[in-house]
Amino acid sequence: MADSFAPADPARHLGAGSPAARALGCWLPRLAVYGLPTALILAPLAAFLLTGFWSMADGRVVHDFTLANYAAFLAQPSYIRVFLGTLQLAGIVAAIGLVFGYIIAYLIWRLEGRIRYFMLLFSVIPLAMNYIVKIYAMRGILGYNGFLNWALVSTGILDAPSKLFIFNQTAVMITMAVIYLPYAILPIFLSLERIPPSLAAASADLGARPGQTFRTVVLPLSLPGSIVGGLFVMVLALGDFLTPQMVGGNQGFTFGRAIWSQFGMAFNWPFGAALAVVLLLAVAAVIGLAALVSRHARVK
């Protein structure tokens, strides 16, 4: 009789073969795989968003809701001018990366055999190099006594070395375009690699010239990868603050440097967070615009 009144064993309900145990064993890996990375991504974004609505007073953060940081950004033409200039700079860098990245990816794609993938590996090797090393290498090339000035003087294009290529927006643009070029090459090549060779062969059999085949077959099918490559370059250029600081000098001030200055020198974290949110919204708008263009291209 005593055994009949004993409490039920919980292990019986969560046994290895019970539905609850199977459901728990199914959801735990999913939470670990999807939930943890999502939380690690969203938590910093939420913290920045929340910090942007705080303020500074007497060197301390005041945890009161306010829109003063965003009002200060909109009220200062200098910040808006730097923001628009950074958007323009990132757009130019993305356009350069897209054009040269497509040319390089297309030439590699046209190769046959193992040499194709060897050249692809060779083109993306800079991704494994340290970012600071690449910036210093570009400073050595663009500097007053650098390789570019030496080549231009040696060929007679310039009579003397020029300071046009260093410590200005031109230097920032060239450096970003070179450093971020592999980020454009890889997605464009992958997009070209997915094009069935039979389509180009069928186009040639129907009498299309190589230029016509490229315009009507290759280019439209590789457009999604091209958009992704240009998007990668533009997003990276928008948030870059180290390249403008190291090769831009006083004339290479960008929005990324403005954000960094609020965290690193002014110690105004709420205002810096608000500027970071503004940049995040700009990146989201660029990604949304790219998605619309890609979708429109697929419909056609």
Side-chain angles (χ1 to χ4, degrees):
M1 293 293 293
D3 294 340
S4 62
F5 292 101
D9 187 3
R12 294 180 181 178
H13 298 281
L14 293 176
S18 66
R22 288 196 298 268
L24 185 62
C26 179
W27 279 104
L28 281 179
R30 294 183 181 180
L31 289 175
V33 173
Y34 300 107
L36 184 60
T38 302
L40 293 177
I41 293 173
L42 294 181
L45 294 179
F48 266 105
L49 181 62
L50 182 61
T51 306
F53 293 106
W54 295 341
S55 61
M56 293 290 295
D58 299 328
R60 295 183 179 181
V61 178
V62 179
H63 300 84
D64 293 331
F65 183 85
T66 178
L67 296 174
N69 295 316
Y70 296 97
F73 165 72
L74 295 175
Q76 299 185 37
S78 59
Y79 279 104
I80 297 178
R81 185 166 55 251
V82 171
F83 177 69
L84 296 177
T86 302
L87 287 177
Q88 181 182 5
L89 174 65
I92 295 175
V93 172
I96 295 174
L98 185 59
V99 171
F100 286 94
Y102 197 98
I103 294 173
I104 296 173
Y106 181 80
L107 293 177
I108 295 175
W109 177 63
R110 296 290 297 175
L111 297 175
E112 300 289 342
R114 296 181 179 179
I115 187 64
R116 171 192 293 184
Y117 301 103
F118 174 79
M119 293 303 297
L120 177 65
L121 178 63
F122 183 77
S123 66
V124 298
I125 280 179
L127 294 178
M129 296 175 59
N130 184 274
Y131 186 69
I132 305 297
V133 173
K134 290 187 285 187
I135 295 179
Y136 273 112
M138 290 302 301
R139 284 185 59 171
I141 295 173
L142 302 175
Y144 185 77
N145 296 318
F147 174 79
L148 182 59
N149 269 311
W150 173 83
L152 293 175
V153 172
S154 299
T155 54
I157 298 177
L158 294 179
D159 297 330
S162 173
K163 296 182 180 180
L164 178 64
F165 309 110
I166 196 64
F167 299 133
N168 50 42
Q169 288 282 9
T170 303
V172 176
M173 179 188 66
I174 296 174
T175 303
M176 285 185 177
V178 173
I179 291 178
Y180 295 139
L181 183 60
Y183 290 97
I185 294 175
L186 192 56
I188 295 174
F189 175 83
L190 294 177
S191 183
L192 291 169
E193 187 77 354
R194 295 191 183 100
I195 300 177
S198 58
L199 293 180
S203 177
D205 292 340
L206 293 174
R209 297 178 179 179
Q212 293 175 321
T213 300
F214 175 79
R215 291 193 305 271
T216 58
V217 178
V218 177
L219 185 60
L221 293 178
S222 62
L223 187 60
S226 303
I227 293 175
V228 172
L231 186 62
F232 277 171
V233 174
M234 185 169 186
V235 170
L236 291 171
L238 278 175
D240 194 347
F241 69 93
L242 193 58
T243 300
Q245 182 177 352
M246 295 185 66
V247 302
N250 295 330
Q251 299 182 24
F253 198 80
T254 61
F255 202 68
R257 288 186 66 180
I259 297 174
W260 172 82
S261 66
Q262 295 300 319
F263 286 98
M265 293 186 296
F267 294 103
N268 192 346
W269 284 40
F271 187 56
L275 296 182
V277 171
V278 171
L279 185 61
L280 176 63
L281 293 177
V283 170
V286 170
I287 294 176
L289 180 61
L292 289 177
V293 172
S294 179
R295 189 179 307 168
H296 182 68
R298 290 179 181 179
V299 171
K300 284 187 176 182

